[in-house]
Amino acid sequence: MDKGLSVLAIVMFLALAGCTTAKGSFCAISSPIRLSSSAVDALSDAEVKAMLAHNRKGQALCGWAP
């Protein structure tokens, strides 16, 4: 096997393993953040943004329902 082809194959396998590991670990240890409306009102804009990003990531990766 050509050295360049070997390096390309290793990079591809590492990239695929990285995607699988990240998806599995996030879904295994995370859950949706659900707050009451009064709790949401007390959050800063940055905290709301972070919570929405977390829930959207879980929706995309883990199939969480909104």
Side-chain angles (χ1 to χ4, degrees), residues 19-64:
C19 291
T20 303
T21 303
K23 181 178 177 183
S25 64
F26 178 82
C27 295
I29 64 170
S30 298
S31 59
I33 300 171
R34 303 194 192 278
L35 302 173
S36 66
S37 58
S38 61
V40 172
D41 290 339
L43 297 174
S44 70
D45 289 344
E47 291 169 326
V48 171
K49 246 179 152 173
M51 185 181 77
L52 287 173
H54 171 84
N55 285 345
R56 287 180 180 148
K57 180 178 180 178
Q59 203 172 5
L61 295 177
C62 312
W64 297 346

PDB file of all heavy atoms in Angstrom, residues 19-64:
ATOM      1  N   CYS A  19     -16.455  10.954  15.052  1.00  0.00           N
ATOM      2  CA  CYS A  19     -17.870  11.303  14.909  1.00  0.00           C
ATOM      3  C   CYS A  19     -18.739  10.357  15.734  1.00  0.00           C
ATOM      4  O   CYS A  19     -19.656  10.776  16.404  1.00  0.00           O
ATOM      5  CB  CYS A  19     -18.292  11.234  13.445  1.00  0.00           C
ATOM      6  SG  CYS A  19     -17.564  12.532  12.441  1.00  0.00           S
ATOM      7  N   THR A  20     -18.454   9.093  15.664  1.00  0.00           N
ATOM      8  CA  THR A  20     -19.242   8.109  16.393  1.00  0.00           C
ATOM      9  C   THR A  20     -19.102   8.307  17.896  1.00  0.00           C
ATOM     10  O   THR A  20     -20.079   8.293  18.618  1.00  0.00           O
ATOM     11  CB  THR A  20     -18.802   6.680  16.016  1.00  0.00           C
ATOM     12  OG1 THR A  20     -18.944   6.540  14.607  1.00  0.00           O
ATOM     13  CG2 THR A  20     -19.631   5.646  16.721  1.00  0.00           C
ATOM     14  N   THR A  21     -17.898   8.523  18.351  1.00  0.00           N
ATOM     15  CA  THR A  21     -17.667   8.689  19.783  1.00  0.00           C
ATOM     16  C   THR A  21     -18.375   9.933  20.309  1.00  0.00           C
ATOM     17  O   THR A  21     -19.040   9.880  21.325  1.00  0.00           O
ATOM     18  CB  THR A  21     -16.161   8.781  20.077  1.00  0.00           C
ATOM     19  OG1 THR A  21     -15.550   7.601  19.565  1.00  0.00           O
ATOM     20  CG2 THR A  21     -15.895   8.893  21.551  1.00  0.00           C
ATOM     21  N   ALA A  22     -18.260  11.045  19.597  1.00  0.00           N
ATOM     22  CA  ALA A  22     -18.882  12.284  20.049  1.00  0.00           C
ATOM     23  C   ALA A  22     -20.395  12.146  20.117  1.00  0.00           C
ATOM     24  O   ALA A  22     -21.035  12.579  21.065  1.00  0.00           O
ATOM     25  CB  ALA A  22     -18.497  13.439  19.146  1.00  0.00           C
ATOM     26  N   LYS A  23     -20.986  11.538  19.104  1.00  0.00           N
ATOM     27  CA  LYS A  23     -22.435  11.390  19.086  1.00  0.00           C
ATOM     28  C   LYS A  23     -22.890  10.484  20.226  1.00  0.00           C
ATOM     29  O   LYS A  23     -23.819  10.806  20.944  1.00  0.00           O
ATOM     30  CB  LYS A  23     -22.894  10.822  17.741  1.00  0.00           C
ATOM     31  CG  LYS A  23     -24.393  10.670  17.646  1.00  0.00           C
ATOM     32  CD  LYS A  23     -24.817  10.160  16.305  1.00  0.00           C
ATOM     33  CE  LYS A  23     -26.309   9.949  16.264  1.00  0.00           C
ATOM     34  NZ  LYS A  23     -26.757   9.379  15.007  1.00  0.00           N
ATOM     35  N   GLY A  24     -22.229   9.361  20.381  1.00  0.00           N
ATOM     36  CA  GLY A  24     -22.621   8.417  21.415  1.00  0.00           C
ATOM     37  C   GLY A  24     -22.443   8.977  22.816  1.00  0.00           C
ATOM     38  O   GLY A  24     -23.314   8.850  23.656  1.00  0.00           O
ATOM     39  N   SER A  25     -21.341   9.646  23.059  1.00  0.00           N
ATOM     40  CA  SER A  25     -21.098  10.125  24.411  1.00  0.00           C
ATOM     41  C   SER A  25     -22.047  11.261  24.789  1.00  0.00           C
ATOM     42  O   SER A  25     -22.516  11.322  25.911  1.00  0.00           O
ATOM     43  CB  SER A  25     -19.644  10.563  24.584  1.00  0.00           C
ATOM     44  OG  SER A  25     -19.343  11.649  23.753  1.00  0.00           O
ATOM     45  N   PHE A  26     -22.348  12.178  23.862  1.00  0.00           N
ATOM     46  CA  PHE A  26     -23.269  13.266  24.179  1.00  0.00           C
ATOM     47  C   PHE A  26     -24.651  12.709  24.504  1.00  0.00           C
ATOM     48  O   PHE A  26     -25.266  13.087  25.497  1.00  0.00           O
ATOM     49  CB  PHE A  26     -23.360  14.268  23.021  1.00  0.00           C
ATOM     50  CG  PHE A  26     -24.325  15.392  23.280  1.00  0.00           C
ATOM     51  CD1 PHE A  26     -23.943  16.486  24.040  1.00  0.00           C
ATOM     52  CD2 PHE A  26     -25.625  15.355  22.796  1.00  0.00           C
ATOM     53  CE1 PHE A  26     -24.828  17.516  24.309  1.00  0.00           C
ATOM     54  CE2 PHE A  26     -26.514  16.382  23.056  1.00  0.00           C
ATOM     55  CZ  PHE A  26     -26.117  17.468  23.814  1.00  0.00           C
ATOM     56  N   CYS A  27     -25.144  11.813  23.677  1.00  0.00           N
ATOM     57  CA  CYS A  27     -26.485  11.256  23.883  1.00  0.00           C
ATOM     58  C   CYS A  27     -26.564  10.398  25.150  1.00  0.00           C
ATOM     59  O   CYS A  27     -27.606  10.330  25.787  1.00  0.00           O
ATOM     60  CB  CYS A  27     -26.910  10.439  22.668  1.00  0.00           C
ATOM     61  SG  CYS A  27     -27.110  11.433  21.176  1.00  0.00           S
ATOM     62  N   ALA A  28     -25.460   9.764  25.497  1.00  0.00           N
ATOM     63  CA  ALA A  28     -25.457   8.900  26.675  1.00  0.00           C
ATOM     64  C   ALA A  28     -25.471   9.687  27.979  1.00  0.00           C
ATOM     65  O   ALA A  28     -26.058   9.246  28.961  1.00  0.00           O
ATOM     66  CB  ALA A  28     -24.239   7.981  26.640  1.00  0.00           C
ATOM     67  N   ILE A  29     -24.847  10.869  27.996  1.00  0.00           N
ATOM     68  CA  ILE A  29     -24.723  11.587  29.260  1.00  0.00           C
ATOM     69  C   ILE A  29     -25.582  12.843  29.353  1.00  0.00           C
ATOM     70  O   ILE A  29     -25.654  13.456  30.407  1.00  0.00           O
ATOM     71  CB  ILE A  29     -23.257  11.968  29.549  1.00  0.00           C
ATOM     72  CG1 ILE A  29     -22.734  12.940  28.497  1.00  0.00           C
ATOM     73  CG2 ILE A  29     -22.379  10.747  29.655  1.00  0.00           C
ATOM     74  CD1 ILE A  29     -21.390  13.543  28.824  1.00  0.00           C
ATOM     75  N   SER A  30     -26.237  13.231  28.271  1.00  0.00           N
ATOM     76  CA  SER A  30     -27.010  14.476  28.277  1.00  0.00           C
ATOM     77  C   SER A  30     -28.498  14.204  28.187  1.00  0.00           C
ATOM     78  O   SER A  30     -28.924  13.152  27.732  1.00  0.00           O
ATOM     79  CB  SER A  30     -26.597  15.350  27.093  1.00  0.00           C
ATOM     80  OG  SER A  30     -25.253  15.701  27.202  1.00  0.00           O
ATOM     81  N   SER A  31     -29.255  15.177  28.610  1.00  0.00           N
ATOM     82  CA  SER A  31     -30.706  15.121  28.475  1.00  0.00           C
ATOM     83  C   SER A  31     -31.204  16.539  28.204  1.00  0.00           C
ATOM     84  O   SER A  31     -30.491  17.510  28.457  1.00  0.00           O
ATOM     85  CB  SER A  31     -31.347  14.555  29.740  1.00  0.00           C
ATOM     86  OG  SER A  31     -31.026  15.351  30.854  1.00  0.00           O
ATOM     87  N   PRO A  32     -32.424  16.653  27.674  1.00  0.00           N
ATOM     88  CA  PRO A  32     -32.946  17.987  27.378  1.00  0.00           C
ATOM     89  C   PRO A  32     -33.056  18.844  28.630  1.00  0.00           C
ATOM     90  O   PRO A  32     -33.315  18.335  29.725  1.00  0.00           O
ATOM     91  CB  PRO A  32     -34.337  17.717  26.808  1.00  0.00           C
ATOM     92  CG  PRO A  32     -34.359  16.286  26.438  1.00  0.00           C
ATOM     93  CD  PRO A  32     -33.367  15.599  27.314  1.00  0.00           C
ATOM     94  N   ILE A  33     -32.849  20.135  28.465  1.00  0.00           N
ATOM     95  CA  ILE A  33     -33.039  21.083  29.559  1.00  0.00           C
ATOM     96  C   ILE A  33     -34.454  21.625  29.427  1.00  0.00           C
ATOM     97  O   ILE A  33     -34.796  22.237  28.422  1.00  0.00           O
ATOM     98  CB  ILE A  33     -32.021  22.236  29.497  1.00  0.00           C
ATOM     99  CG1 ILE A  33     -30.600  21.688  29.591  1.00  0.00           C
ATOM    100  CG2 ILE A  33     -32.292  23.255  30.603  1.00  0.00           C
ATOM    101  CD1 ILE A  33     -29.524  22.726  29.331  1.00  0.00           C
ATOM    102  N   ARG A  34     -35.269  21.380  30.427  1.00  0.00           N
ATOM    103  CA  ARG A  34     -36.654  21.848  30.414  1.00  0.00           C
ATOM    104  C   ARG A  34     -36.891  22.662  31.682  1.00  0.00           C
ATOM    105  O   ARG A  34     -36.701  22.170  32.786  1.00  0.00           O
ATOM    106  CB  ARG A  34     -37.616  20.671  30.348  1.00  0.00           C
ATOM    107  CG  ARG A  34     -37.372  19.777  29.137  1.00  0.00           C
ATOM    108  CD  ARG A  34     -38.514  18.824  28.906  1.00  0.00           C
ATOM    109  NE  ARG A  34     -38.207  17.795  27.946  1.00  0.00           N
ATOM    110  CZ  ARG A  34     -38.274  17.943  26.627  1.00  0.00           C
ATOM    111  NH1 ARG A  34     -38.631  19.097  26.114  1.00  0.00           N
ATOM    112  NH2 ARG A  34     -37.993  16.950  25.813  1.00  0.00           N
ATOM    113  N   LEU A  35     -37.284  23.900  31.492  1.00  0.00           N
ATOM    114  CA  LEU A  35     -37.490  24.803  32.625  1.00  0.00           C
ATOM    115  C   LEU A  35     -38.908  25.361  32.590  1.00  0.00           C
ATOM    116  O   LEU A  35     -39.528  25.445  31.527  1.00  0.00           O
ATOM    117  CB  LEU A  35     -36.494  25.968  32.567  1.00  0.00           C
ATOM    118  CG  LEU A  35     -35.009  25.618  32.557  1.00  0.00           C
ATOM    119  CD1 LEU A  35     -34.166  26.865  32.336  1.00  0.00           C
ATOM    120  CD2 LEU A  35     -34.609  24.954  33.860  1.00  0.00           C
ATOM    121  N   SER A  36     -39.378  25.793  33.742  1.00  0.00           N
ATOM    122  CA  SER A  36     -40.672  26.468  33.801  1.00  0.00           C
ATOM    123  C   SER A  36     -40.521  27.857  33.185  1.00  0.00           C
ATOM    124  O   SER A  36     -39.412  28.380  33.062  1.00  0.00           O
ATOM    125  CB  SER A  36     -41.144  26.589  35.249  1.00  0.00           C
ATOM    126  OG  SER A  36     -40.270  27.448  35.961  1.00  0.00           O
ATOM    127  N   SER A  37     -41.620  28.470  32.804  1.00  0.00           N
ATOM    128  CA  SER A  37     -41.546  29.801  32.192  1.00  0.00           C
ATOM    129  C   SER A  37     -40.977  30.829  33.165  1.00  0.00           C
ATOM    130  O   SER A  37     -40.249  31.739  32.758  1.00  0.00           O
ATOM    131  CB  SER A  37     -42.917  30.238  31.680  1.00  0.00           C
ATOM    132  OG  SER A  37     -43.855  30.252  32.726  1.00  0.00           O
ATOM    133  N   SER A  38     -41.263  30.680  34.465  1.00  0.00           N
ATOM    134  CA  SER A  38     -40.697  31.631  35.430  1.00  0.00           C
ATOM    135  C   SER A  38     -39.182  31.458  35.550  1.00  0.00           C
ATOM    136  O   SER A  38     -38.455  32.433  35.716  1.00  0.00           O
ATOM    137  CB  SER A  38     -41.364  31.477  36.793  1.00  0.00           C
ATOM    138  OG  SER A  38     -41.160  30.174  37.303  1.00  0.00           O
ATOM    139  N   ALA A  39     -38.690  30.225  35.431  1.00  0.00           N
ATOM    140  CA  ALA A  39     -37.245  29.991  35.472  1.00  0.00           C
ATOM    141  C   ALA A  39     -36.573  30.563  34.223  1.00  0.00           C
ATOM    142  O   ALA A  39     -35.496  31.143  34.305  1.00  0.00           O
ATOM    143  CB  ALA A  39     -36.948  28.502  35.594  1.00  0.00           C
ATOM    144  N   VAL A  40     -37.222  30.430  33.065  1.00  0.00           N
ATOM    145  CA  VAL A  40     -36.681  30.981  31.822  1.00  0.00           C
ATOM    146  C   VAL A  40     -36.610  32.502  31.909  1.00  0.00           C
ATOM    147  O   VAL A  40     -35.645  33.119  31.458  1.00  0.00           O
ATOM    148  CB  VAL A  40     -37.521  30.528  30.606  1.00  0.00           C
ATOM    149  CG1 VAL A  40     -37.093  31.253  29.347  1.00  0.00           C
ATOM    150  CG2 VAL A  40     -37.407  29.019  30.410  1.00  0.00           C
ATOM    151  N   ASP A  41     -37.631  33.122  32.510  1.00  0.00           N
ATOM    152  CA  ASP A  41     -37.645  34.582  32.650  1.00  0.00           C
ATOM    153  C   ASP A  41     -36.466  35.093  33.485  1.00  0.00           C
ATOM    154  O   ASP A  41     -36.026  36.219  33.304  1.00  0.00           O
ATOM    155  CB  ASP A  41     -38.954  35.054  33.286  1.00  0.00           C
ATOM    156  CG  ASP A  41     -40.151  34.886  32.362  1.00  0.00           C
ATOM    157  OD1 ASP A  41     -39.932  34.782  31.128  1.00  0.00           O
ATOM    158  OD2 ASP A  41     -41.291  34.857  32.861  1.00  0.00           O
ATOM    159  N   ALA A  42     -35.956  34.260  34.381  1.00  0.00           N
ATOM    160  CA  ALA A  42     -34.862  34.674  35.253  1.00  0.00           C
ATOM    161  C   ALA A  42     -33.484  34.509  34.601  1.00  0.00           C
ATOM    162  O   ALA A  42     -32.496  34.995  35.132  1.00  0.00           O
ATOM    163  CB  ALA A  42     -34.909  33.868  36.548  1.00  0.00           C
ATOM    164  N   LEU A  43     -33.426  33.845  33.443  1.00  0.00           N
ATOM    165  CA  LEU A  43     -32.150  33.600  32.781  1.00  0.00           C
ATOM    166  C   LEU A  43     -31.673  34.815  31.995  1.00  0.00           C
ATOM    167  O   LEU A  43     -32.489  35.592  31.493  1.00  0.00           O
ATOM    168  CB  LEU A  43     -32.265  32.413  31.811  1.00  0.00           C
ATOM    169  CG  LEU A  43     -32.585  31.044  32.400  1.00  0.00           C
ATOM    170  CD1 LEU A  43     -32.800  30.041  31.289  1.00  0.00           C
ATOM    171  CD2 LEU A  43     -31.478  30.587  33.321  1.00  0.00           C
ATOM    172  N   SER A  44     -30.364  34.933  31.858  1.00  0.00           N
ATOM    173  CA  SER A  44     -29.806  35.975  31.003  1.00  0.00           C
ATOM    174  C   SER A  44     -29.939  35.534  29.543  1.00  0.00           C
ATOM    175  O   SER A  44     -30.210  34.361  29.260  1.00  0.00           O
ATOM    176  CB  SER A  44     -28.329  36.202  31.337  1.00  0.00           C
ATOM    177  OG  SER A  44     -27.566  35.084  30.913  1.00  0.00           O
ATOM    178  N   ASP A  45     -29.743  36.462  28.625  1.00  0.00           N
ATOM    179  CA  ASP A  45     -29.807  36.126  27.201  1.00  0.00           C
ATOM    180  C   ASP A  45     -28.770  35.066  26.839  1.00  0.00           C
ATOM    181  O   ASP A  45     -29.052  34.154  26.059  1.00  0.00           O
ATOM    182  CB  ASP A  45     -29.600  37.374  26.341  1.00  0.00           C
ATOM    183  CG  ASP A  45     -30.781  38.328  26.394  1.00  0.00           C
ATOM    184  OD1 ASP A  45     -31.876  37.914  26.838  1.00  0.00           O
ATOM    185  OD2 ASP A  45     -30.615  39.490  25.989  1.00  0.00           O
ATOM    186  N   ALA A  46     -27.585  35.167  27.411  1.00  0.00           N
ATOM    187  CA  ALA A  46     -26.523  34.196  27.129  1.00  0.00           C
ATOM    188  C   ALA A  46     -26.902  32.805  27.631  1.00  0.00           C
ATOM    189  O   ALA A  46     -26.625  31.802  26.967  1.00  0.00           O
ATOM    190  CB  ALA A  46     -25.216  34.648  27.762  1.00  0.00           C
ATOM    191  N   GLU A  47     -27.540  32.738  28.801  1.00  0.00           N
ATOM    192  CA  GLU A  47     -27.961  31.446  29.341  1.00  0.00           C
ATOM    193  C   GLU A  47     -29.058  30.826  28.491  1.00  0.00           C
ATOM    194  O   GLU A  47     -29.051  29.611  28.245  1.00  0.00           O
ATOM    195  CB  GLU A  47     -28.435  31.612  30.789  1.00  0.00           C
ATOM    196  CG  GLU A  47     -27.315  31.942  31.755  1.00  0.00           C
ATOM    197  CD  GLU A  47     -27.809  32.353  33.128  1.00  0.00           C
ATOM    198  OE1 GLU A  47     -28.884  32.990  33.233  1.00  0.00           O
ATOM    199  OE2 GLU A  47     -27.106  32.047  34.111  1.00  0.00           O
ATOM    200  N   VAL A  48     -29.984  31.636  28.013  1.00  0.00           N
ATOM    201  CA  VAL A  48     -31.049  31.135  27.133  1.00  0.00           C
ATOM    202  C   VAL A  48     -30.444  30.611  25.841  1.00  0.00           C
ATOM    203  O   VAL A  48     -30.812  29.536  25.359  1.00  0.00           O
ATOM    204  CB  VAL A  48     -32.102  32.232  26.845  1.00  0.00           C
ATOM    205  CG1 VAL A  48     -33.067  31.794  25.762  1.00  0.00           C
ATOM    206  CG2 VAL A  48     -32.854  32.588  28.117  1.00  0.00           C
ATOM    207  N   LYS A  49     -29.485  31.356  25.279  1.00  0.00           N
ATOM    208  CA  LYS A  49     -28.810  30.932  24.054  1.00  0.00           C
ATOM    209  C   LYS A  49     -28.111  29.589  24.242  1.00  0.00           C
ATOM    210  O   LYS A  49     -28.189  28.701  23.393  1.00  0.00           O
ATOM    211  CB  LYS A  49     -27.773  31.978  23.652  1.00  0.00           C
ATOM    212  CG  LYS A  49     -28.046  32.688  22.395  1.00  0.00           C
ATOM    213  CD  LYS A  49     -26.937  33.705  22.153  1.00  0.00           C
ATOM    214  CE  LYS A  49     -26.771  33.942  20.690  1.00  0.00           C
ATOM    215  NZ  LYS A  49     -25.845  35.002  20.383  1.00  0.00           N
ATOM    216  N   ALA A  50     -27.416  29.429  25.361  1.00  0.00           N
ATOM    217  CA  ALA A  50     -26.702  28.185  25.642  1.00  0.00           C
ATOM    218  C   ALA A  50     -27.677  27.021  25.818  1.00  0.00           C
ATOM    219  O   ALA A  50     -27.425  25.915  25.326  1.00  0.00           O
ATOM    220  CB  ALA A  50     -25.844  28.338  26.892  1.00  0.00           C
ATOM    221  N   MET A  51     -28.786  27.264  26.503  1.00  0.00           N
ATOM    222  CA  MET A  51     -29.777  26.217  26.705  1.00  0.00           C
ATOM    223  C   MET A  51     -30.394  25.792  25.373  1.00  0.00           C
ATOM    224  O   MET A  51     -30.548  24.594  25.105  1.00  0.00           O
ATOM    225  CB  MET A  51     -30.871  26.710  27.660  1.00  0.00           C
ATOM    226  CG  MET A  51     -31.882  25.645  28.015  1.00  0.00           C
ATOM    227  SD  MET A  51     -33.168  26.269  29.104  1.00  0.00           S
ATOM    228  CE  MET A  51     -34.163  27.159  27.924  1.00  0.00           C
ATOM    229  N   LEU A  52     -30.735  26.756  24.530  1.00  0.00           N
ATOM    230  CA  LEU A  52     -31.301  26.434  23.225  1.00  0.00           C
ATOM    231  C   LEU A  52     -30.301  25.672  22.357  1.00  0.00           C
ATOM    232  O   LEU A  52     -30.676  24.713  21.671  1.00  0.00           O
ATOM    233  CB  LEU A  52     -31.756  27.711  22.506  1.00  0.00           C
ATOM    234  CG  LEU A  52     -33.024  28.357  23.054  1.00  0.00           C
ATOM    235  CD1 LEU A  52     -33.275  29.697  22.371  1.00  0.00           C
ATOM    236  CD2 LEU A  52     -34.217  27.437  22.894  1.00  0.00           C
ATOM    237  N   ALA A  53     -29.042  26.069  22.394  1.00  0.00           N
ATOM    238  CA  ALA A  53     -28.015  25.367  21.619  1.00  0.00           C
ATOM    239  C   ALA A  53     -27.886  23.917  22.086  1.00  0.00           C
ATOM    240  O   ALA A  53     -27.786  22.994  21.271  1.00  0.00           O
ATOM    241  CB  ALA A  53     -26.684  26.088  21.746  1.00  0.00           C
ATOM    242  N   HIS A  54     -27.910  23.711  23.401  1.00  0.00           N
ATOM    243  CA  HIS A  54     -27.824  22.356  23.965  1.00  0.00           C
ATOM    244  C   HIS A  54     -29.007  21.511  23.491  1.00  0.00           C
ATOM    245  O   HIS A  54     -28.828  20.386  23.030  1.00  0.00           O
ATOM    246  CB  HIS A  54     -27.808  22.446  25.497  1.00  0.00           C
ATOM    247  CG  HIS A  54     -27.934  21.119  26.180  1.00  0.00           C
ATOM    248  ND1 HIS A  54     -26.851  20.307  26.406  1.00  0.00           N
ATOM    249  CD2 HIS A  54     -29.015  20.474  26.678  1.00  0.00           C
ATOM    250  CE1 HIS A  54     -27.265  19.212  27.018  1.00  0.00           C
ATOM    251  NE2 HIS A  54     -28.569  19.298  27.199  1.00  0.00           N
ATOM    252  N   ASN A  55     -30.215  22.051  23.600  1.00  0.00           N
ATOM    253  CA  ASN A  55     -31.402  21.296  23.212  1.00  0.00           C
ATOM    254  C   ASN A  55     -31.451  21.033  21.708  1.00  0.00           C
ATOM    255  O   ASN A  55     -31.872  19.960  21.268  1.00  0.00           O
ATOM    256  CB  ASN A  55     -32.666  22.013  23.676  1.00  0.00           C
ATOM    257  CG  ASN A  55     -32.875  21.868  25.175  1.00  0.00           C
ATOM    258  OD1 ASN A  55     -32.259  21.024  25.828  1.00  0.00           O
ATOM    259  ND2 ASN A  55     -33.726  22.700  25.740  1.00  0.00           N
ATOM    260  N   ARG A  56     -30.999  21.997  20.899  1.00  0.00           N
ATOM    261  CA  ARG A  56     -30.978  21.789  19.443  1.00  0.00           C
ATOM    262  C   ARG A  56     -29.947  20.740  19.054  1.00  0.00           C
ATOM    263  O   ARG A  56     -30.175  19.950  18.136  1.00  0.00           O
ATOM    264  CB  ARG A  56     -30.719  23.110  18.733  1.00  0.00           C
ATOM    265  CG  ARG A  56     -31.922  24.019  18.792  1.00  0.00           C
ATOM    266  CD  ARG A  56     -31.683  25.332  18.090  1.00  0.00           C
ATOM    267  NE  ARG A  56     -32.890  26.155  18.184  1.00  0.00           N
ATOM    268  CZ  ARG A  56     -32.893  27.461  18.240  1.00  0.00           C
ATOM    269  NH1 ARG A  56     -31.747  28.135  18.174  1.00  0.00           N
ATOM    270  NH2 ARG A  56     -34.022  28.124  18.344  1.00  0.00           N
ATOM    271  N   LYS A  57     -28.824  20.725  19.743  1.00  0.00           N
ATOM    272  CA  LYS A  57     -27.813  19.696  19.480  1.00  0.00           C
ATOM    273  C   LYS A  57     -28.385  18.320  19.799  1.00  0.00           C
ATOM    274  O   LYS A  57     -28.215  17.372  19.031  1.00  0.00           O
ATOM    275  CB  LYS A  57     -26.563  19.968  20.318  1.00  0.00           C
ATOM    276  CG  LYS A  57     -25.460  18.962  20.103  1.00  0.00           C
ATOM    277  CD  LYS A  57     -24.229  19.315  20.923  1.00  0.00           C
ATOM    278  CE  LYS A  57     -23.118  18.308  20.718  1.00  0.00           C
ATOM    279  NZ  LYS A  57     -21.904  18.687  21.473  1.00  0.00           N
ATOM    280  N   GLY A  58     -29.064  18.201  20.935  1.00  0.00           N
ATOM    281  CA  GLY A  58     -29.683  16.929  21.302  1.00  0.00           C
ATOM    282  C   GLY A  58     -30.778  16.519  20.334  1.00  0.00           C
ATOM    283  O   GLY A  58     -30.947  15.339  20.041  1.00  0.00           O
ATOM    284  N   GLN A  59     -31.504  17.491  19.829  1.00  0.00           N
ATOM    285  CA  GLN A  59     -32.546  17.215  18.841  1.00  0.00           C
ATOM    286  C   GLN A  59     -31.915  16.641  17.573  1.00  0.00           C
ATOM    287  O   GLN A  59     -32.407  15.646  17.028  1.00  0.00           O
ATOM    288  CB  GLN A  59     -33.278  18.515  18.526  1.00  0.00           C
ATOM    289  CG  GLN A  59     -34.653  18.369  17.980  1.00  0.00           C
ATOM    290  CD  GLN A  59     -35.355  19.728  17.889  1.00  0.00           C
ATOM    291  OE1 GLN A  59     -34.774  20.776  18.157  1.00  0.00           O
ATOM    292  NE2 GLN A  59     -36.599  19.698  17.513  1.00  0.00           N
ATOM    293  N   ALA A  60     -30.813  17.240  17.133  1.00  0.00           N
ATOM    294  CA  ALA A  60     -30.153  16.793  15.900  1.00  0.00           C
ATOM    295  C   ALA A  60     -29.441  15.463  16.073  1.00  0.00           C
ATOM    296  O   ALA A  60     -29.531  14.589  15.209  1.00  0.00           O
ATOM    297  CB  ALA A  60     -29.168  17.860  15.432  1.00  0.00           C
ATOM    298  N   LEU A  61     -28.714  15.290  17.172  1.00  0.00           N
ATOM    299  CA  LEU A  61     -27.903  14.097  17.360  1.00  0.00           C
ATOM    300  C   LEU A  61     -28.648  12.928  17.972  1.00  0.00           C
ATOM    301  O   LEU A  61     -28.372  11.771  17.654  1.00  0.00           O
ATOM    302  CB  LEU A  61     -26.684  14.404  18.245  1.00  0.00           C
ATOM    303  CG  LEU A  61     -25.655  15.381  17.700  1.00  0.00           C
ATOM    304  CD1 LEU A  61     -24.558  15.614  18.738  1.00  0.00           C
ATOM    305  CD2 LEU A  61     -25.047  14.839  16.419  1.00  0.00           C
ATOM    306  N   CYS A  62     -29.581  13.215  18.884  1.00  0.00           N
ATOM    307  CA  CYS A  62     -30.180  12.154  19.691  1.00  0.00           C
ATOM    308  C   CYS A  62     -31.670  11.948  19.416  1.00  0.00           C
ATOM    309  O   CYS A  62     -32.273  11.035  19.983  1.00  0.00           O
ATOM    310  CB  CYS A  62     -29.982  12.461  21.170  1.00  0.00           C
ATOM    311  SG  CYS A  62     -28.295  12.920  21.610  1.00  0.00           S
ATOM    312  N   GLY A  63     -32.272  12.842  18.621  1.00  0.00           N
ATOM    313  CA  GLY A  63     -33.691  12.696  18.320  1.00  0.00           C
ATOM    314  C   GLY A  63     -34.617  13.184  19.421  1.00  0.00           C
ATOM    315  O   GLY A  63     -35.759  12.750  19.516  1.00  0.00           O
ATOM    316  N   TRP A  64     -34.130  14.105  20.281  1.00  0.00           N
ATOM    317  CA  TRP A  64     -34.983  14.643  21.329  1.00  0.00           C
ATOM    318  C   TRP A  64     -36.156  15.385  20.705  1.00  0.00           C
ATOM    319  O   TRP A  64     -36.011  16.072  19.711  1.00  0.00           O
ATOM    320  CB  TRP A  64     -34.237  15.615  22.218  1.00  0.00           C
ATOM    321  CG  TRP A  64     -33.087  15.054  22.989  1.00  0.00           C
ATOM    322  CD1 TRP A  64     -32.787  13.734  23.196  1.00  0.00           C
ATOM    323  CD2 TRP A  64     -32.055  15.782  23.640  1.00  0.00           C
ATOM    324  NE1 TRP A  64     -31.649  13.608  23.940  1.00  0.00           N
ATOM    325  CE2 TRP A  64     -31.179  14.851  24.233  1.00  0.00           C
ATOM    326  CE3 TRP A  64     -31.793  17.140  23.797  1.00  0.00           C
ATOM    327  CZ2 TRP A  64     -30.062  15.238  24.952  1.00  0.00           C
ATOM    328  CZ3 TRP A  64     -30.677  17.514  24.513  1.00  0.00           C
ATOM    329  CH2 TRP A  64     -29.830  16.572  25.099  1.00  0.00           C
TER     330      TRP A  64
END
